[in-house]
Amino acid sequence: MKFDNWTPGSGVARRRVAVGATAAVMGATALLGSGLTAAAHAADGATPTGIVLGVGAKETQRVVSWYTSAGTAQVVQVAPTSKIKKGRFPKNSVTFPATVAANTVNGGYNGHATLDSLKEHTAYSYRVGTEGGWSRTYSFKTQDFKGDFDFLFYGDPQIGSSGDVAKDGAGWQDTLNVSLAANPRAELLVSGGDQVETANTETQWDAFLAPDKLRQYPWAATIGNHDVGGKAYEQHFWTPNTDRSAPYYNGDAAIRSGGDYWYKYKGVLFIDLNSNAYAAGSDAAHIGYVTDVVKKHGADAKYTVLVYHHSIYSPASHANDGDNRLRRQDFPTAFSNLGVDLVLQGHDHSYSRSYEIKNGKKANPSEKPGAAKVAQGPGGVIYVTANSASGSKYYNLTAPDTTKDPNYGPDPLNPKSHWANSVENQEHVRTYVKVEVRGDKLVVENLRSGTCAAPNAAVELGQESWCGPNSGASAAQPVGSTVDKVTILPYRGNDHGHGNGHDNGHGNGHDYRADVSTPTLDESAWLQ
C-alpha cells in the first residue's frame, strides 16, 4: 500500500503492534496537567495527547509520537486531505500501527508510528488512536523531494525557565506563528535543545507541545541539558536511525534519554548529537559516530549539517564552561576533516555566527566581522549559536577572558568579541534562524520574532533591565527584521580525503552536485 497509488478501497497497511508494559512508573504528575490546550489534549482520558509530528529518515517519511492512557493497539490513520469529506476519513484510509510502551514518567503509555511512502507535494490529514478514541485531525503537506528548500532552527524554548510556564509558552507559540507565517514553505523545524526547564515536568511539556504548528511541520528534536534526568524527552520524540550506545553517556543513566541520530533530507545529511556527556571518552565516541555516518551516507550529500546543544564557540555565560573548553580542542579539527559545512548549536541563549573555522582556527585571517558573504575553503566550517526562541531566558554577551581560557581570547578585528565569532548579538528579544539550502550556497539568517513587548517573559518579569539593540540604547526593531545574514559559498576544489575517503568535489568530504537526485523509494519499507 503506497500513498502514490492511493485510491478508495485500495486497502490498509498492517504491521505488528508492540505493546510494552514492563517499565516502572516514575513521578506522580498527572497526564492531563494544568498547562494544556484543547489543541494538544482532549477531555477523554483515552484520547491520545501530546501529539507531535517528527522528522523521518528521509523525505518520504514522518514520525508521529504521542501519549495515551490506553495500552491497547493504537494506530495513525492517514489519508490525502482531498479524500476527507465533511471531516470523515475514507473507509479504507491507510493505517500505521504503532509501537506502544509503558510510560515511565506519568503512567499510561507513549506511542509512535512512522508514516512511510508519502508522495511529494501532497497534503495529508491524520489522526491518532483507535475507534472510539481518536484525536483531533491534523494536516501536513509534503513538497518536492529534491532541489532547494528552507528550514528553521530554534534555540532553547526552555519552557518554565522564567518561572512562568504560561508566559514562556506564549512566547514560544508566537515565535512559531511568526516564523511560519513568514516562511510557510519551510520544510523542517530544527531544535537547538532544551525544550523544557525540567525534564519530567509534564506541564512544561504540555506548554511546549501546545502549538498546532508542531503537528503540521516536522520537528527535528535535539536533547539539551534540561531535557535529561528522565525519559520524557525520548517518550515525546521518536527519532530515526538513533544510537543510544553507552559510550556516548559515560555510563551515566541520568543522561541517556535521547541519543545520536541522523537523517537525510533533499541532499542534506543531518547528524544530531546528544552532547550532554563529554568526559571519559564520550566526545571521542560522538566523533566516531559522526565519522561513521559521514563515511556511510555522506558521499551523495550536497551538505553536511551537525546539530547539538552545547555551543563550542559560545558568546555568553557558557563561553568558558569546562565542557566547551574541552570540545573546542577535539571537535573542530574532526569536523573540518569530515567536511562538515554548518554546525547549529544552542545552550547559551544568545546569537553568534562564527568566521570560517578550519581545524580550530580562523581559516582566513582577513575575513571581516559581519561579512555578508563567505567563500568556504577546504575544511572550512561555520558555527551558529541560536538565541532564545521563547523569551524565557537570555544570557548577556561576555567579554573574551584569557584568564579563563587562554585559547579563547579576543578577535583582533573586533576585540569586544571572541576570536571565533564574526557576529555576536543579544537584544533580549526572541529570534529564530532561517537556513536556505540552495545548490550553490547556504544562506543563514537570524530574524527577530518578537520585540521588547509581550510575550517576552524575561523582560516582562523584570529579569532583564534593558531591551533592544546596543544594550537597549536603540529602539527595538520590528518583528521579522534581520539581525544577521550571511551567504556561504561552498568550496568546489578537488581536495581528496578529508578523513572519509571520498572525492568531495567542494572540499567538504562528499561529492558536490548542483542537484542531487532523490533516493529511490524503497517500497518494501511500507510494511517494515
Side-chain angles (χ1 to χ4, degrees), residues 275 278 283 310 323-332:
S275 61
Y278 67 97
D283 276 352
H310 296 78
D323 54 342
N324 283 337
R325 293 200 305 268
L326 181 61
R327 291 191 187 98
R328 282 197 287 268
Q329 298 175 33
D330 53 17
F331 272 11

Side-chain angles (χ1 to χ4, degrees), residues 293-417:
V293 172
V294 170
K295 284 184 175 180
K296 290 179 179 177
H297 306 287
D300 60 351
K302 288 186 291 188
Y303 303 101
T304 297
V305 176
L306 291 190
V307 186
Y308 54 81
H309 183 61
H310 296 78
S311 173
I312 64 173
Y313 294 119
S314 180
S317 298
H318 290 301
N320 290 304
D321 288 355
D323 54 342
N324 283 337
R325 293 200 305 268
L326 181 61
R327 291 191 187 98
R328 282 197 287 268
Q329 298 175 33
D330 53 17
F331 272 11
T333 296
F335 296 165
S336 290
N337 288 339
L338 290 168
V340 172
D341 295 286
L342 179 65
V343 177
L344 300 175
Q345 311 154 115
H347 192 48
D348 217 9
H349 299 247
S350 53
Y351 174 78
S352 67
R353 183 245 297 182
S354 79
Y355 293 109
E356 180 194 0
I357 304 296
K358 179 178 180 180
N359 300 337
K361 297 181 179 180
K362 188 176 178 181
N364 177 9
S366 64
E367 182 186 338
K368 297 296 190 292
K373 184 178 292 186
V374 175
Q376 286 181 293
V381 184
I382 305 297
Y383 296 77
V384 171
T385 303
N387 183 36
S388 171
S390 69
S392 65
K393 182 194 293 183
Y394 303 105
Y395 290 140
N396 291 326
L397 302 178
T398 59
D401 188 345
T402 55
T403 64
K404 294 182 178 178
D405 186 345
N407 298 313
Y408 201 43
D411 174 15
L413 300 180
N414 185 14
K416 293 183 178 180
S417 294

Side-chain angles (χ1 to χ4, degrees), residues 59-84:
E59 303 90 341
T60 59
Q61 294 182 346
R62 301 290 186 271
V63 176
V64 181
S65 302
W66 65 92
Y67 277 8
T68 176
S69 62
T72 55
Q74 301 270 305
V75 302
V76 180
Q77 188 176 48
V78 189
T81 302
S82 61
K83 304 295 182 180
I84 295 178

Side-chain angles (χ1 to χ4, degrees), residues 39 43 49 95 142 178 193 206 236 282-283 304 315 360 390-391 428 435 439 470 475:
T49 62
T95 61
T142 62
V178 164
D206 294 337
H236 279 295
S282 290
D283 276 352
T304 297
S390 69
H428 298 160
V435 180
N470 305 311

